[in-house]
Amino acid sequence: MIRRQGEIARHVERVVEVVERGVCLQRNPGQDRLTRSWQRSLSKYQVDPSLATTPQVVTAMELREHRDRMDAFMRIAREGLDRLHQQLRPSSYCVLLTDATGVTVDFRTVPEQDKEFRAQGFRNGTRWSEMEEGTCGVGTSLVDGQPILVHRGEHFRSHNIGFTCSSAPILGIDDQPLAVLDASALYSPEGRDSQMLVFQMVIEKARLIEDAFAFHSLRQHWILQLGCTPELLNVQTDYLLAFDDAGLFVGGNRKARKELMQRPGRTAQCVSDLFECSATDLLAAAHARPGQAIPLRLLDSGERIFALLRVPDARRQAPTTQSSGVSDTNGCNEARGFGHLATEDARVRTNVDRALKVANRDIPIMLMGETGTGKEAFAKAIHDCSSRYKQPFVALNCAAIPESLIESELFGYRDGAFTGARSKGARGKIIQSDGGTLFLDEIGDMPLVLQSRLLRVLAEGEVLPLGAEEPIPVKLHIVCATHQNLPTLVEEGRFREDLYYRLNGAVFILPPLRERDDIGVVIDRVLVEEARAMGREAIRLAPETRDALLRHGWPGNIRQLRYAMRYACAICESNLLHTAHFPPDLFIGPRIAAPRALREEVSRAAPVLAAPEPDLPPLKEKDLVLRRRMLEVLCRNQWQVTVSAKELGLSRATFYRKLSRLNIVAPNRREG
């Protein structure tokens, strides 16, 4: 779909008329939103409306990281995505799901137009943020948090002006965006009214996914499913409200938060604030009539409503009587925290024993290990075994959020703090984790200026949101994680020394999967979990396949194993998994684990490789230090450039330039 120069010129002229001369963009209900978006696109993001190139696409590794961060959500969203795709497939629409940064993480299209859609940029990994594409369905709905239809010439970039895009944001129970659901077509009639039915279908499916994830997020609490018609409660829920054992509300779906919890002049804090009964009355009624709708009356209006009460997930399981489920002297429950993890490896077992002792102490925890070793799962287990387990566990990946956004994500902001801020402001991750656990992943990638602010929060026990005048007290317990060498970053001036010593009160080093004594147990557990998720409990590994998995190097560790197993379970048509069912590139190249003796031999050879070549011009001291460091990391990572560059905090291009300048040559190329 090539845009003619005249068409592009007319579009650019129209942008100038609307943004700079105040000409009306379109006579439709979303005119003001679209006009503001065009103004942001040109003035704030400086997007060129004449660009006719396809949108940017992230690398395969970056896409995996975007997907990993929302793995649980994607599993739940998949059903809604598939349903919408089936409904729109006859009309040649593609359906896509993006994360909160606008990167496409899941995608459906029609086979007849698949090639054309991909050629126009509709594919997994495409960036659709307003910052990069200007006004578009995904990007604009992320900025203002509302569904939007962007039809043909309403797009900002000339590349997109032939498309029609219906988008709806999906919010978490904290009102922060999780994802965007979008349906787009390459060709459509001129009139935007032709898209209203599709637009409503997208909104409906987005709400369905949002409610399903709200139910999942609140499953550890008592959940009320509320509606006006008792007969429909089991198949259609209007409102979801969750409360704890004391009857205090802990959250709900968006409709419940806006229409029920927000009462005139106040916010309903507990069951008795909202209904003409207490939480105890509710539990008694549900016990007397199990599985039947409970009639309730709203306190303010007297309106009648019906409810089904769902028991917390933890109470549906019989209490464990094994010794591992007994609380230790510090009040930590191992079964509640680490019971679902494989802990037969001696180093992992030692880590768990130590974690049980420090979980309830006022000690910051630092987790170190290669990517994919399960640092977030270990952090969540520490939280779950502690006395804070009923309080929030809030995670933030410092490497996954643009530097311009991480400050507002971490500290929050007041309404009107900056252009584009939400009208009601936003609670940052620190305030959200008050009383619970804040998990900061990839802490080594936090910008220096934010390190100073975080240090002040830790020292003073209070946080000042952007635009606020008064600090907010917080009770903070931090667990952080990194795959980088923080002492080296401290020496290089890229990480504050005082913050480093604030965070490493208790250090846990998680071993890579290839070195774990219980790798077989981990493989078996992952197989059971992935097979059960797909309803294929009978599937098992062929002996030679299990042996190949045991010998594999697993540079991506448990995360790589999980995705490889998921792929194999998906494509295997029998109940026996062979190596042919796993990703084609899994068992080739340097990813196969070398025998331990060979690894030790390579390690002993590293100092020899580190010596400069005799015919090279002499290097400066800092270059020699960098050369030794790069060789050390390369040898440890079996000469995988991407992994080594990431560990050193360098881009691949920069890393390759330094390899050339410092004359570092891989052993398998040295003879040539």
Side-chain angles (χ1 to χ4, degrees), residues 347-361:
R347 283 173 294 178
V348 174
R349 184 69 247 172
T350 300
N351 281 337
V352 171
D353 291 341
R354 289 172 54 216
L356 292 170
K357 291 180 171 65
V358 303
N360 281 331
R361 308 300 184 190

Side-chain angles (χ1 to χ4, degrees), residues 55-66 99 101-105 123-127 132:
Q56 298 179 31
V57 179
V58 301
T59 65
M61 178 173 289
E62 289 172 328
L63 177 59
R64 283 196 297 272
E65 291 174 353
H66 280 270
D99 66 5
T101 67
V103 173
T104 305
V105 293
R123 51 182 294 188
N124 282 324
T126 302
R127 294 181 178 274
E132 286 147 329

Side-chain angles (χ1 to χ4, degrees), residues 340-489:
H340 66 293
L341 301 180
T343 57
E344 286 80 354
D345 178 83
R347 283 173 294 178
V348 174
R349 184 69 247 172
T350 300
N351 281 337
V352 171
D353 291 341
R354 289 172 54 216
L356 292 170
K357 291 180 171 65
V358 303
N360 281 331
R361 308 300 184 190
D362 188 18
I363 301 174
I365 293 172
M366 181 176 291
L367 307 179
M368 306 184 75
E370 296 179 7
T371 180
T373 48
K375 295 186 285 292
E376 183 166 354
F378 197 88
K380 183 66 165 63
I382 293 174
H383 171 81
D384 289 342
C385 84
S386 73
S387 58
R388 302 179 302 280
Y389 74 98
K390 290 185 178 180
Q391 302 304 317
F393 174 85
V394 179
L396 177 69
N397 188 317
C398 301
I401 299 176
E403 188 170 331
S404 58
L405 298 180
I406 190 172
E407 184 172 17
S408 58
E409 281 286 321
L410 191 59
F411 299 99
Y413 56 85
R414 293 288 301 275
D415 55 302
F418 52 86
T419 304
R422 292 176 177 274
S423 59
K424 295 183 180 179
R427 298 166 68 233
K429 300 295 186 185
I430 291 176
I431 296 175
Q432 292 174 34
S433 68
D434 185 19
T437 300
L438 176 64
F439 175 59
L440 296 176
D441 198 8
E442 303 299 354
I443 186 71
D445 290 294
M446 178 177 284
L448 275 169
V449 64
L450 296 192
Q451 293 177 27
S452 302
R453 288 200 62 187
L454 178 60
L455 183 65
R456 192 176 304 117
V457 171
L458 294 174
E460 300 174 2
E462 57 186 26
V463 60
L464 184 67
L466 296 176
E469 297 178 355
E470 295 294 329
I472 300 172
V474 287
K475 186 177 181 181
L476 195 59
H477 187 273
I478 285 187
V479 179
C480 62
T482 183
H483 71 280
Q484 301 189 65
N485 188 324
L486 287 187
T488 299
L489 297 186

Side-chain angles (χ1 to χ4, degrees), residues 57 329 380 432 490 496 500 514:
V57 179
T329 54
K380 183 66 165 63
Q432 292 174 34
V490 170
R496 290 184 62 106
Y500 171 69
R514 61 185 172 274

Side-chain angles (χ1 to χ4, degrees), residues 515-542:
E515 295 180 4
R516 286 180 58 159
D517 298 331
D518 61 348
I519 182 173
V521 177
V522 176
I523 289 171
D524 294 339
R525 285 198 181 203
V526 170
L527 171 61
V528 169
E529 291 168 5
E530 295 301 326
R532 183 179 297 151
M534 295 188 184
R536 305 194 61 188
E537 285 84 349
I539 204 166
R540 58 191 178 87
L541 293 168

Side-chain angles (χ1 to χ4, degrees), residues 144-218:
D144 58 21
Q146 297 293 326
I148 194 166
L149 166 60
V150 183
H151 187 62
R152 295 174 63 92
E154 295 169 355
H155 287 87
F156 188 79
R157 273 219 304 133
S158 61
H159 173 269
N160 303 326
I161 58 177
F163 310 147
T164 183
C165 303
S166 297
S167 302
I170 300 171
L171 307 185
I173 57 175
D174 58 356
D175 283 321
Q176 298 300 309
L178 293 170
V180 173
L181 182 65
D182 174 90
S184 294
L186 298 178
Y187 309 100
S188 61
E190 285 287 345
R192 76 190 322 266
D193 289 346
S194 64
Q195 302 303 308
M196 295 312 296
L197 180 58
V198 173
F199 184 42
Q200 291 304 317
M201 292 167 68
V202 171
I203 294 173
E204 177 189 339
K205 289 299 184 293
R207 294 295 170 266
L208 181 69
I209 295 170
E210 186 175 283
D211 286 353
F213 192 68
F215 197 103
H216 171 81
S217 303
L218 298 166

Side-chain angles (χ1 to χ4, degrees), residues 117-144:
F117 268 115
R118 292 177 185 275
Q120 295 303 321
F122 290 90
R123 51 182 294 188
N124 282 324
T126 302
R127 294 181 178 274
W128 291 107
S129 72
E130 201 176 69
M131 185 184 302
E132 286 147 329
E133 287 300 299
T135 305
C136 60
V138 171
T140 304
S141 65
L142 276 173
V143 170
D144 58 21

